[in-house]
Amino acid sequence: MVNQTQMANAIRALAMDAVQQANSGHPGAPMGMADMAVALWSDHLNHNPVNPHWPNRDRFVLSNGHGSMLIYSLLHLTGYNLPIGELKNFRQLHSKTPGHPEVDVTPGIETTTGPLGQGISNAVGMALAEKLLAAQFNTQEHAIVDHHTYVFLGDGCLMEGVSHEACALAGAWRLNKLIALYDDNGISIDGQVAPWFIDDTASRFCAYGWSVITCSNGHDAQAVSQAIATAKQSTDQPTLIICKTSIGKGSPNRANTAKAHGEPLGAEEIALTRTALGWSHAHFEIPTDIYAMWDAKPKGQQKETKWNTLFDAYQTAHPEKASELMRRMNGELPTQFSQVVVDAVVDAHQKAQTVASRKASQIALEAFTASLPELLGGSADLTGSNLTNTPSTPSFRVGANAQVIKNEAGQTGRHINYGVREFGMAAIMNGVALHGGFIPYGGTFLTFSDYSRNAIRMAALMKKRVIHVFTHDSIGLGEDGPTHQSIEHAASLRLIPNLDVWRPADTAETVVAWAVALQNKNKPTALLLSRQNLPYLPKADAGNASGLDSMNKGAYVLAEPSEVGINKKAQAVIIATGSEVHLALKAQELLATFKVATRVVSMPSTTTFDQQSVAYKKAVLPKGIPRIAVEMGCTDGWWKYGVSAVVGIDTYGESAPAPELFKHFGFTPENVADTVRAVLQRS
Ligand SMILES: Cc1ncc(C[n+]2csc(CCOP(=O)(O)OP(=O)(O)O)c2C)c(N)n1
């Protein structure tokens, strides 16, 4: 009869062998967490290896993603479509077993982890999504959304500040179905952590409002299983289970040392470890009886079938709710959404309002949040500045009994006060998007996008629809000064592959930017929005859906020379973004008085424009005439558009009223016009 130690040893053997074969990787963490994994995966985790996308599965996040061989072993052993050949191919090109777990690459992986601290933060987002979705869809009889979110994490995740931001929120939100198991092995890369990590982790989590359980022997699978059972009983707090473990458990010479952390054990030590563990099977060979013990397919099928029966009953009783839930879980927008977009663009053209683009964003959101219940907004303590809330998005609140509070109309909150936690917000939003059922968006000042940056990058890498509302996007914010004024941010966000970046110029472009962001099912978007008012810019094709079609290409011809009374072909193209587009139009007028003919191109999204056909790009930016870019930010990114000059800012800003700053930094029609004339004289 196979015992739990043998089940754990199967993980240890696979981890040792795969890391050895790849000649790189981290054997220590999987070997140390193997018993915790047995406790969770064989006694508690509700999942179906045959259908990794079963909506009501428990979510499992390996926050210490360097221990990837733990999860690959578990997925293989429990019956996911991850054959042993993939484990033999660990860390090789195009294998399903990359160095760190990657969502949508390996069946059963819920999120991409590796950047420490973000996995636990994603898990907070998943648990939030579960709680909110349950409050929105479950009925007295039908607990359709009802699962746990489990996380494994190590010292590294706890040292990272983002874990504080996210875990504090998990406590405030009383995410009682979030259960984190801490691999407390006292080792990180530099050695015994004692000199640099003396936090009292139990007290820290108690202070966040978590329940904390300590397992003095994290290698006692039954004790860990008992702790998980207790954690599942929690009705109002998330739980941290502290498991005292040995890194590299089983290795006679490497266990409990940093040497077990990030390199192969070596053939000799592997042989010694096998002997110590009593594991005599060939490399990568798992005996059938151990496979049989691990096989989670029959139980998983049963659980899903039971849920399907419940869902059928739900569907019969509440057909609309059932199809709405499935639509949202599949990430599909409602069919009427495209009409909502057209109406919002037409409305923007008709009203022709002069407002800040952050206000234009709120106007767009009013239309979109009313028709998309999946939009889950928020702000990192700047709601009144970011303007991320609308009448359709009351504040998300949780009562002392851990229930999501509903208003008189029975609606849950849909706008989250993340507090001053930009990175936490971004990583939590990733978790919400990964869970499904919501499209998260969150606001802060553009300058603080640096705080969130790695989570934005992770959303882009994972191809998840997360929308960042970055307001106060330039020196145009004025008196707050250089600490708050973005300079390099637009350019540096544009460098992140698969991140769409929009800097709209007026109300119509802002609606389009939001619409594209919402339709970008497989990428995140950053919306860069002004603090200061911007005029509506008349467009030749306004008032019909074709206006939408040019704006959504990321750049379009806004004004030809004829619009300022010059009947000759353009001698130069002025390219501008966001708040600088109206300045470009004024420069165009001024140049006309000198008989200089220019075309103004509004380029709200360089990232979207870059995706267009060569023919379209040529039509907007014709060859043979000089181009001048205007943007209140660093100039670096513009040279790739073949510009002859950039009116930009390559220093930090200054504290002063915005109109003075515009003059000081040369953002005047006169300076733009002079720049164009200087370029023409040179060419
Ligand atoms: C944000 C981030 N910084 C640094 C690293 C590099 N790194 C990978 S593992 C690790 C140490 C983690 O220690 P611990 O969580 O205790 O893992 P263990 O040694 O127990 O495997 C570091 C610094 C990383 N992956 N992510």
Side-chain angles (χ1 to χ4, degrees):
M1 180 66 187
V2 173
N3 61 34
Q4 291 193 311
T5 307
Q6 287 167 302
M7 291 173 77
N9 286 345
I11 296 174
R12 294 190 173 100
L14 289 172
M16 283 192 296
D17 287 347
V19 172
Q20 185 68 23
Q21 175 127 328
N23 198 23
S24 85
H26 302 77
M31 294 172 78
M33 292 188 287
D35 304 290
M36 293 156 56
V38 170
L40 175 62
W41 281 62
S42 68
D43 292 355
H44 298 283
L45 196 72
N46 284 325
H47 64 130
N48 182 6
V50 176
N51 180 10
H53 298 292
W54 170 33
N56 199 44
R57 68 195 181 277
D58 286 338
R59 305 310 198 257
F60 174 76
V61 173
L62 184 72
S63 191
N64 39 5
H66 58 278
S68 54
M69 268 312 301
L70 177 82
I71 190 154
Y72 297 147
S73 304
L74 287 165
L75 295 171
H76 170 70
L77 291 166
T78 55
Y80 284 77
N81 182 16
L82 193 67
I84 195 77
E86 291 290 349
L87 274 64
K88 290 182 182 165
N89 242 347
F90 180 46
R91 295 186 155 229
Q92 305 309 306
L93 189 65
H94 303 319
S95 75
K96 285 187 179 168
T97 49
H100 293 83
E102 293 181 33
V103 68
D104 297 331
V105 169
T106 317
I109 299 294
E110 302 284 1
T111 176
T112 300
T113 53
L116 297 171
Q118 286 193 64
I120 171 71
S121 309
N122 296 162
V124 171
M126 292 176 190
L128 168 68
E130 192 270 347
K131 194 180 200 63
L132 204 43
L133 212 53
Q136 293 178 355
F137 285 94
N138 288 355
T139 64
Q140 206 79 42
E141 305 80 41
H142 310 101
I144 281 303
V145 183
D146 183 16
H147 68 79
H148 282 87
T149 300
Y150 295 100
V151 193
F152 278 12
L153 76 169
D155 302 301
C157 290
L158 291 176
M159 284 186 245
E160 288 291 351
V162 68
S163 70
H164 163 78
E165 297 182 17
C167 292
L169 283 169
W173 296 335
R174 297 180 177 274
L175 300 179
N176 58 305
K177 285 155 96 179
L178 174 65
I179 300 175
L181 289 90
Y182 166 30
D183 177 36
D184 182 9
N185 61 23
I187 297 282
S188 65
I189 292 181
D190 284 356
Q192 296 273 355
V193 296
W196 56 86
F197 187 42
I198 61 159
D199 302 13
D200 178 343
T201 299
S203 303
R204 172 185 163 193
F205 276 75
C206 282
Y208 295 152
W210 287 51
S211 163
V212 178
I213 303 172
T214 299
C215 280
S216 54
N217 180 6
H219 299 296
D220 179 345
Q222 284 190 5
V224 176
S225 178
Q226 185 51 51
I228 297 170
T230 306
K232 281 159 76 179
Q233 301 303 313
S234 171
T235 54
D236 58 355
Q237 290 182 311
T239 303
L240 180 73
I241 303 173
I242 301 178
C243 303
K244 298 267 182 213
T245 59
S246 303
I247 190 169
K249 169 82 174 168
S251 159
N253 298 301
R254 298 274 175 105
N256 287 316
T257 72
K259 275 292 240 186
H261 170 92
E263 59 186 274
L265 294 183
E268 208 175 306
E269 186 64 17
I270 290 178
L272 292 173
T273 309
R274 290 165 157 272
T275 309
L277 295 175
W279 187 267
S280 54
H281 316 290
H283 293 289
F284 290 108
E285 188 187 299
I286 305 292
T288 359
D289 53 349
I290 294 187
Y291 269 129
M293 277 295 281
W294 268 115
D295 187 1
K297 293 196 296 293
K299 215 159 112 187
Q301 296 274 41
Q302 256 177 28
K303 291 206 161 133
E304 187 176 347
T305 306
K306 197 170 158 208
W307 182 83
N308 284 338
T309 311
L310 183 70
F311 190 77
D312 286 346
Y314 179 70
Q315 206 160 23
T316 308
H318 310 280
E320 279 172 18
K321 271 185 135 173
S323 69
E324 179 68 352
L325 175 61
M326 284 304 119
R327 176 189 75 74
R328 283 175 53 175
M329 287 303 287
N330 292 333
E332 305 297 346
L333 297 172
T335 38
Q336 72 275 16
F337 180 70
S338 42
Q339 190 56 47
V340 175
V341 173
V342 172
D343 292 348
V345 178
V346 169
D347 196 52
H349 288 312
Q350 280 171 356
K351 291 196 175 130
Q353 282 172 290
T354 292
V355 289
S357 51
R358 63 186 168 130
K359 180 68 190 167
S361 161
Q362 191 178 42
I363 294 168
L365 271 174
E366 276 167 21
F368 295 150
T369 53
S371 59
L372 298 179
E374 60 266 49
L375 270 174
L376 180 63
S379 166
D381 207 40
L382 287 167
T383 303
S385 299
N386 303 144
L387 302 178
T388 40
N389 56 344
T390 74
S392 306
T393 63
S395 301
F396 167 72
R397 293 287 181 266
V398 176
N401 60 358
Q403 296 301 311
V404 176
I405 293 175
K406 295 185 179 177
N407 64 15
E408 281 170 4
Q411 294 158 331
T412 69
R414 283 172 55 198
H415 188 274
I416 297 180
N417 301 99
Y418 285 98
V420 194
R421 300 181 178 98
E422 296 80 10
F423 191 8
M425 172 174 74
I428 288 171
M429 289 201 292
N430 289 352
V432 168
L434 285 155
H435 181 279
F438 295 97
I439 302 175
Y441 68 91
T444 185
F445 291 155
L446 177 56
T447 342
F448 306 137
S449 61
D450 290 339
Y451 277 51
S452 329
R453 189 174 177 90
N454 200 267
I456 301 171
R457 179 176 195 270
M458 292 303 290
L461 172 62
M462 294 191 282
K463 305 192 175 79
K464 295 301 158 203
R465 179 168 43 186
V466 175
I467 302 171
H468 292 270
V469 178
F470 291 131
T471 68
H472 297 59
D473 69 348
S474 72
I475 55 165
L477 65 83
E479 294 84 345
D480 270 342
T483 53
H484 285 49
Q485 292 162 353
S486 305
I487 295 293
E488 74 281 22
H489 299 81
S492 85
L493 286 169
R494 289 172 185 142
L495 291 176
I496 297 179
N498 198 44
L499 173 70
D500 219 10
V501 181
W502 284 79
R503 189 164 183 263
D506 68 359
T507 49
E509 285 191 12
T510 307
V511 170
V512 173
W514 261 108
V516 174
L518 291 165
Q519 284 156 346
N520 275 340
K521 200 177 170 187
N522 298 318
K523 56 168 87 161
T525 300
L527 303 173
L528 319 189
L529 305 166
S530 74
R531 175 190 184 228
Q532 73 276 23
N533 279 350
L534 306 176
Y536 168 78
L537 308 173
K539 290 160 200 66
D541 50 7
N544 58 39
S546 67
L548 212 165
D549 282 345
S550 54
M551 288 184 276
N552 69 9
K553 290 196 166 57
Y556 63 101
V557 178
L558 177 65
E560 293 285 24
S562 57
E563 261 147 88
V564 282
I566 296 206
N567 289 322
K568 60 178 177 180
K569 278 177 87 176
Q571 298 159 266
V573 179
I574 308 175
I575 309 167
T577 80
S579 50
E580 285 67 84
V581 180
H582 74 97
L583 176 65
L585 290 176
K586 283 197 181 137
Q588 185 195 36
E589 273 177 34
L590 193 58
L591 285 160
T593 64
F594 296 101
K595 303 274 180 286
V596 176
T598 54
R599 163 186 281 193
V600 173
V601 166
S602 178
M603 194 178 284
S605 176
T606 60
T607 49
T608 305
F609 180 64
D610 291 350
Q611 306 298 316
Q612 304 306 319
S613 66
V614 174
Y616 183 77
K617 286 184 200 167
K618 270 192 190 160
V620 175
L621 301 177
K623 284 212 159 130
I625 53 171
R627 303 160 188 174
I628 295 91
V630 188
E631 185 175 66
M632 290 197 269
C634 73
T635 55
D636 260 37
W638 286 107
W639 305 107
K640 74 171 178 175
Y641 296 101
V643 295
S644 304
V646 185
V647 180
I649 308 175
D650 284 318
T651 63
Y652 290 105
E654 296 279 353
S655 171
E660 274 180 51
L661 292 175
F662 296 151
K663 273 187 226 141
H664 177 78
F665 286 101
F667 287 88
T668 59
E670 293 75 19
N671 186 44
V672 174
D674 286 351
T675 308
V676 173
R677 290 168 71 201
V679 165
L680 286 173
Q681 269 163 21
R682 275 202 322 254
S683 53

